[in-house]
Amino acid sequence: MADDQQRHKRLRLLTKQLNKERKQQGKQIDILCNDFVAAQKDFIKKLNVITFTASFYESVMGITDLNSLLYTAVRLIKERVGDASVTFFLRQAENFELHIFENAKPITLEKQHIENCFTAEVMDNICESNKVCSLQDLFAMGLQGNLAALSKISAVTVPLTCCGSSPGFVLVYRSSQTKLTADDLKDICAITSGLSRAIQSCQQLLHPAD
């Protein structure tokens, strides 16, 4: 009888140990599966960015007119990030030139209130920072305007970097109810390097003597 009790005790301990190990293995399998799913999602996101970038460059390739290039860029960015407004600020000799499009035509600044808040100092500060700037960053740089109106939008500026300097930037904004996401910024940042070179080429063709 004592031997049977001892055997039963050892069997219970063995069963308990096996169950413990099985649970630990189950947790490890869950972690591996979750890591695999996360890696797969990250890979798909990166692949989507690459696909968008390739499609973008294919669409603007060969365009030599600056307005046509910028309009095409605006259209493609809007299609990618959704219901957003896109404005290009390009540095000139002594000021900045704004490019705003709606239905393939330039529109007046009166319709785009946030653009009116960008002073020469703010635009210079954005270019000198040469980094993606949030609305909070822009306020720190001197952006002023109707705070009630500005609080209703989600906005960023993305630098146009060429040869280590920033000859301008892109302003992208939409309603704060649908804030711009990190993925939106990755998409925009992915195309700005090649776009900057294309803009520079168009400007050189437009002003060959400069």
Side-chain angles (χ1 to χ4, degrees):
M1 179 67 67
D3 290 342
D4 289 342
Q5 289 178 345
Q6 191 67 24
R7 282 197 296 271
H8 288 156
K9 183 177 180 181
R10 287 199 297 268
L11 182 61
R12 286 196 300 271
L13 291 173
L14 180 61
T15 302
K16 184 177 180 180
Q17 182 65 27
L18 289 173
N19 287 334
K20 183 179 179 180
E21 291 178 357
R22 189 179 296 112
K23 289 180 180 179
Q24 290 177 341
Q25 290 176 348
K27 290 180 180 179
Q28 291 174 345
I29 291 172
D30 288 341
I31 292 172
L32 289 173
C33 289
N34 290 335
D35 288 345
F36 176 77
V37 171
Q40 189 178 43
K41 288 181 178 179
D42 185 56
F43 173 76
I44 291 174
K45 285 183 179 180
K46 290 180 179 178
L47 185 61
N48 285 336
V49 173
I50 292 172
T51 301
F52 167 66
T53 304
S55 176
F56 181 92
Y57 287 155
E58 183 179 3
S59 296
V60 302
M61 186 180 300
I63 299 178
T64 57
D65 175 72
L66 182 60
N67 282 331
S68 298
L69 173 66
L70 296 180
Y71 168 69
T72 302
V74 168
R75 177 176 59 81
L76 294 172
I77 293 173
K78 284 185 174 183
E79 288 177 358
R80 183 66 175 180
V81 303
D83 184 24
S85 296
V86 181
T87 301
F88 280 88
F89 291 71
L90 303 183
R91 189 192 291 275
Q92 302 300 307
E94 298 180 355
N95 53 27
F96 281 81
E97 186 175 76
L98 274 64
H99 294 263
I100 312 172
F101 297 92
E102 186 176 81
N103 299 324
K105 297 180 181 179
I107 62 176
T108 60
L109 282 180
E110 286 73 15
K111 293 184 179 180
Q112 305 290 333
H113 299 293
I114 186 173
E115 283 85 352
N116 291 320
C117 300
F118 285 77
T119 63
E121 180 183 4
V122 171
M123 291 185 283
D124 280 333
N125 289 338
I126 293 171
C127 287
E128 289 175 7
S129 72
N130 200 22
K131 67 176 184 178
V132 175
C133 296
S134 66
L135 198 55
Q136 287 70 30
D137 294 327
L138 299 179
F139 283 133
M141 292 178 180
L143 184 74
Q144 296 182 353
N146 187 322
L147 294 181
L150 292 175
S151 66
K152 296 179 181 179
I153 65 172
S154 172
V156 294
T157 60
V158 180
L160 295 167
T161 303
C162 192
C163 301
S165 62
S166 178
F169 57 91
V170 189
L171 168 68
V172 183
Y173 62 97
R174 66 185 180 201
S175 170
S176 58
Q177 295 180 348
T178 53
K179 291 184 178 181
L180 294 165
T181 66
D183 288 337
D184 291 331
L185 294 182
K186 287 180 182 178
D187 288 336
I188 299 170
C189 291
I191 54 94
T192 51
S193 177
L195 178 58
S196 299
R197 292 193 294 271
I199 290 172
Q200 185 181 51
S201 296
C202 288
Q203 289 175 325
Q204 289 174 348
L205 289 173
L206 190 62
H207 305 289
D210 291 350

